């Protein structure tokens, strides 16, 4: 489960907070949400990206939770910066990991499936977010989406040791990590 499944909650949060902040609130909030694009996001190796995924998802979730509780326009805009950055970093890290771990001859198929799952689930997320927002309110829906992201990040973080064990042979095969015997030679 990725952050994108809870992205519709942001749309509902935007709708809920548009009235108190006036006519231009939506434009300013969208700009605040996209400030993350100016943040440096250069990483030279895929090593360590497994930790980045749950941390970024949790950052998104916590930003969304804070945003859902905020009733002050400038604070709402400020909270959207870490939320947006967390969402973008999580998506980029997940995409990079999938492309790195998949065999080269299967990469196109896997990325097609990944894109279909990613974009195909968005309309359902929007539908569920709309139903929940109508029933419980947009702020509560955003709170629930943020909490689900934090919980999902916790589950992913707990699974990291097993995922690392499964990824290690692939990293050795593609040359990201040295073979285990070369590592023991370096230690001598």
């Amino acid at each position: 489960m990725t952050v994108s499944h809870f992205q519709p909650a942001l749309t509902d949060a935007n709708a809920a907070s548009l009235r108190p902040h006036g006519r231009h609130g939506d434009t300013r909030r969208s700009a605040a949400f996209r400030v993350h694009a100016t943040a440096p996001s250069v990483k030279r190796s895929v090593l360590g990206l497994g930790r980045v995924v749950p941390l970024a998802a949790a950052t998104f979730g916590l930003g969304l939770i804070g945003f859902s509780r905020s009733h002050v326009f400038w604070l709402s805009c400020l909270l959207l910066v870490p939320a947006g950055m967390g969402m973008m970093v999580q998506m980029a890290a997940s995409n990079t990991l999938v492309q790195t771990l998949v065999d080269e001859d299967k990469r196109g198929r896997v990325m097609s499936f990944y894109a279909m799952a990613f974009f195909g689930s968005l309309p359902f997320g929007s539908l569920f977010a709309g139903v929940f927002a109508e029933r419980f309110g947009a702020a509560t829906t955003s709170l629930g989406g943020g909490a689900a992201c934090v919980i999902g990040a916790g589950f992913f973080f707990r699974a990291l040791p097993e995922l690392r064990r499964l990824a290690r042979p692939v990293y050795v095969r593609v040359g990201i990590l040295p073979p285990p015997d070369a590592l023991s030679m370096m230690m001598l």
Side-chain angles (χ1 to χ4, degrees):
M1 185 172 283
T2 65
V3 169
S4 67
H5 292 94
F6 302 104
Q7 193 173 2
L10 285 175
T11 304
D12 288 334
N14 260 347
S17 60
L18 182 58
R19 285 192 190 98
H21 304 306
R23 196 176 74 141
H24 300 290
D26 191 43
T27 305
R28 290 184 196 131
R29 208 173 17 267
S30 293
F33 189 69
R34 287 166 180 80
V35 165
H36 61 79
T38 62
S41 59
V42 177
K43 185 159 174 43
R44 295 185 186 268
S45 173
V46 296
L47 297 177
L49 276 181
R51 281 188 302 265
V52 171
V53 171
L55 291 175
T59 301
F60 172 70
L62 292 173
L64 195 56
I65 289 169
F67 177 76
S68 73
R69 297 292 124 209
S70 173
H71 298 290
V72 179
F73 178 71
W74 66 267
L75 181 60
S76 298
C77 288
L78 193 63
L79 288 166
L80 287 176
V81 172
M85 190 169 63
M87 182 178 73
M88 294 304 295
V89 169
Q90 186 274 332
M91 291 185 334
S94 297
N95 191 1
T96 302
L97 284 172
V98 168
Q99 290 195 39
T100 302
L101 292 170
V102 172
D103 291 334
E104 205 167 310
D105 61 329
K106 296 174 187 70
R107 191 169 295 145
R109 292 181 198 135
V110 170
M111 291 312 296
S112 296
F113 184 74
Y114 179 78
M116 180 192 66
F118 186 81
F119 292 114
S121 65
L122 286 177
F124 294 109
S126 295
L127 177 67
F128 292 136
V131 168
F132 291 143
E134 187 175 317
R135 183 170 178 127
F136 303 111
T140 305
T141 302
S142 295
L143 175 73
C149 283
V150 172
I151 291 168
F155 281 123
F156 189 88
F157 194 78
R158 281 191 57 185
L160 271 179
E162 178 63 16
L163 293 173
R164 279 191 195 109
R165 187 186 68 74
L166 295 170
R168 185 168 185 68
V170 176
Y171 286 168
V172 169
R173 188 178 71 237
V174 297
I176 295 171
L177 287 175
D181 56 333
L183 197 65
S184 62
M185 294 297 259
M186 282 196 253
M187 309 265 290
L188 293 176

